[in-house]
Amino acid sequence: MAVEEKRAWIMIVVTAASYGAYLAIVLGRPGSGPLAEAPYVAALLWTVGASVVASIALHLTVALLTPEEDRVRDQRDREIHRFGEYVGQSFVVMGGVAALVLAMADADQFWIANAVYLAFVLSALLGSTAKIVAYRLGFQPW
C-alpha cells in the first residue's frame, strides 16, 4: 500500500472519529432546550484540536515505519493526490455557500458553525475516499 493511500485512510478514520465524538458530545447534552442553545464551541475546538494532533501523530508514525524506498512519490501519486484534493474542495465551497445563506437568513451561530464544520468533514471524507478509490481501482486522468 502506498504511503499516500495510508495517509488517506488515516484522514478518513481520524475525521470520522472526531466528528462522531463531536456529535455525541453536542447531541448527548442533557436538557430539553433548543439544540441551537446547546454549548458547542468547546466541543468543536477540542475535537478539531484532537483530530489535528492525532492526524499528525499517525502520519509521523506511518512515515517512520515505512521504508525509505517506499516513501518516494511518483507522478501517479501526485496526480491522485491532486485529484482527491480537487474532489474534496467541492464540499468546502458548498459549505461556504451554505454558511453564507444561513448568515443572510439570520440563522443562529450554532447552525452556521456546524454547517462549516460539516463541510470540512465531508471534504476530508470525500477527498480521501476519492484517493483510495483511485489507488484501488486505477486512475485515468482525463
Side-chain angles (χ1 to χ4, degrees):
M1 182 183 306
V3 173
E4 295 299 319
E5 185 180 354
K6 291 176 186 176
R7 289 180 177 179
W9 279 109
I10 289 170
M11 185 62 77
I12 286 177
V13 170
V14 169
T15 301
S18 65
Y19 192 66
Y22 171 75
L23 288 177
I25 292 168
V26 171
L27 297 177
R29 302 241 186 225
S32 60
L35 186 58
E37 293 178 8
Y40 69 95
V41 176
L44 192 142
L45 292 175
W46 278 104
T47 55
V48 169
S51 67
V52 168
V53 170
S55 179
I56 290 171
L58 289 170
H59 280 88
L60 285 173
T61 302
V62 166
L64 291 173
L65 296 177
T66 302
E68 183 70 32
E69 61 272 4
D70 291 342
R71 283 188 242 159
V72 177
R73 292 176 64 187
D74 60 7
Q75 182 64 28
R76 180 175 177 259
D77 290 325
R78 285 188 286 276
E79 289 181 11
I80 288 174
H81 177 76
R82 186 178 62 211
F83 169 72
E85 292 300 311
Y86 286 163
V87 169
Q89 291 302 315
S90 62
F91 274 101
V92 173
V93 172
M94 286 189 271
V97 170
L100 184 63
V101 168
L102 286 170
M104 288 188 295
D106 286 329
D108 192 71
Q109 290 178 351
F110 174 87
W111 298 112
I112 297 170
N114 279 284
V116 171
Y117 188 27
L118 179 61
F120 284 129
V121 167
L122 293 176
S123 172
L125 293 176
L126 182 64
S128 296
T129 301
K131 291 175 189 177
I132 291 169
V133 168
Y135 274 109
R136 296 295 171 132
L137 301 180
F139 177 70
Q140 290 294 327
W142 296 331

